[in-house]
Amino acid sequence: GAVVSQHPSWVICKSGTSVKIECRSLDFQATTMFWYRQFPKQSLMLMATSNEGSKATYEQGVEKDKFLINHASLTLSTLTVTSAHPEDSSFYICSASFTSTAGYTFGSGTRLTVV
Amino acid sequence: AQRVTQPEKLLSVFKGAPVELKCNYSYSGSPELFWYVQYSRQRLQLLLRHISRESIKGFTADLNKGETSFHLKKPFAQEEDSAMYYCALSEGGGNKLTFGTGTQLKVEL
């Protein structure tokens, strides 16, 4: 149980275009989802926390207009990288907390390459 | 601010040898501590959390509040333990996780 499905697993896009990454909770309702970014051989850096039906809370230094997060339902959160640039190339991972005490589950990640 | 420190980027041990992956944290409240494992080309998986006091795949970790540590231990390393290990901290209640920089464990034959 408590599976998070993340799509796409990889995407290549041109500079200036936008890319949407989806994160779905398959067998539970995720009131809170988290979006992380992971650079090669580095740790996961939290970008933002999204709660269903409300605006996302962004970490310091993360541009909210560039990384648009939508959490319109209890089973879906999306991250849109707008006007992507090569420096946005990274591995993006979503996570959901599935009850207040039971822990967290992670998506399989999306490898974004901007050319 | 909360912080998690994993001092070793890479730890190489021989099969059958004991393993200890170090994790120290700084947090003013009562944190929840976790260990996550990431096998090659797979997603992050929960290995264990301090509140459950379980032993998963032979790994254990004890929260030492005096030393603010949550070291991961296994008495006899197996080849299949080779992976990336992340220590993480949460304020609790499903709040955000703060990750350490990770330790790559390599178990050699």
Side-chain angles (χ1 to χ4, degrees):
Chain A
V3 175
V4 168
S5 175
Q6 185 173 345
H7 292 281
S9 55
W10 61 270
V11 58
I12 301 173
C13 71
K14 291 185 177 180
S15 287
T17 61
S18 295
V19 173
K20 180 184 282 189
I21 302 170
E22 289 190 351
C23 186
R24 293 182 184 272
S25 57
L26 297 185
D27 49 4
F28 67 100
Q29 294 182 329
T31 53
T32 304
M33 284 193 174
F34 307 90
W35 287 95
Y36 294 87
R37 184 173 178 175
Q38 186 178 30
F39 292 100
K41 299 187 185 297
Q42 294 189 31
S43 188
L44 285 78
M45 301 298 296
L46 180 67
M47 299 174 67
T49 301
S50 76
N51 292 293
E52 184 265 338
S54 63
K55 290 185 179 180
T57 302
Y58 289 81
E59 295 298 300
Q60 193 173 9
V62 178
E63 298 176 62
K64 61 181 179 181
D65 294 329
K66 178 157 190 67
F67 299 100
L68 299 179
I69 291 171
N70 184 281
H71 193 166
S73 79
L74 287 171
T75 58
L76 175 64
S77 178
T78 61
L79 167 67
T80 301
V81 183
T82 63
S83 187
H85 290 283
E87 56 265 31
D88 299 326
S89 298
S90 192
F91 194 59
Y92 294 88
I93 304 172
C94 68
S95 172
S97 61
F98 45 96
T99 70
S100 62
T101 58
Y104 308 80
T105 187
F106 287 82
S108 53
T110 298
R111 172 75 59 197
L112 171 63
T113 302
V114 185
V115 297
Chain B
Q2 54 213 45
R3 181 186 296 178
V4 178
T5 303
Q6 292 179 252
E8 302 140 327
K9 280 192 173 182
L10 173 66
L11 182 64
S12 187
V13 301
F14 286 106
K15 180 182 175 182
V19 174
E20 182 178 51
L21 302 173
K22 290 184 168 50
C23 173
N24 288 88
Y25 66 92
S26 66
Y27 180 62
S28 56
S30 293
E32 281 192 48
L33 275 297
F34 303 80
W35 276 100
Y36 283 88
V37 60
Q38 190 172 30
Y39 299 103
S40 181
R41 300 184 182 279
Q42 295 187 28
R43 70 183 70 195
L44 273 168
Q45 302 173 35
L46 177 66
L47 185 60
L48 50 82
R49 54 192 301 189
H50 88 270
I51 62 172
S52 59
R53 300 188 65 82
E54 292 176 300
S55 174
I56 307 293
K57 299 185 180 182
F59 286 96
T60 59
D62 290 316
L63 179 61
N64 185 322
K65 292 187 178 180
E67 296 182 357
T68 60
S69 68
F70 189 57
H71 303 326
L72 183 68
K73 299 178 183 179
K74 184 169 182 176
F76 308 104
Q78 310 275 326
E79 191 180 356
E80 55 265 29
D81 295 330
S82 294
M84 193 73 174
Y85 291 80
Y86 292 98
C87 183
L89 177 154
S90 165
E91 298 172 9
N95 284 314
K96 65 181 182 181
L97 283 169
T98 299
F99 285 86
T101 48
T103 298
Q104 180 74 47
L105 174 64
K106 185 178 180 182
V107 180
E108 299 182 79
L109 299 175

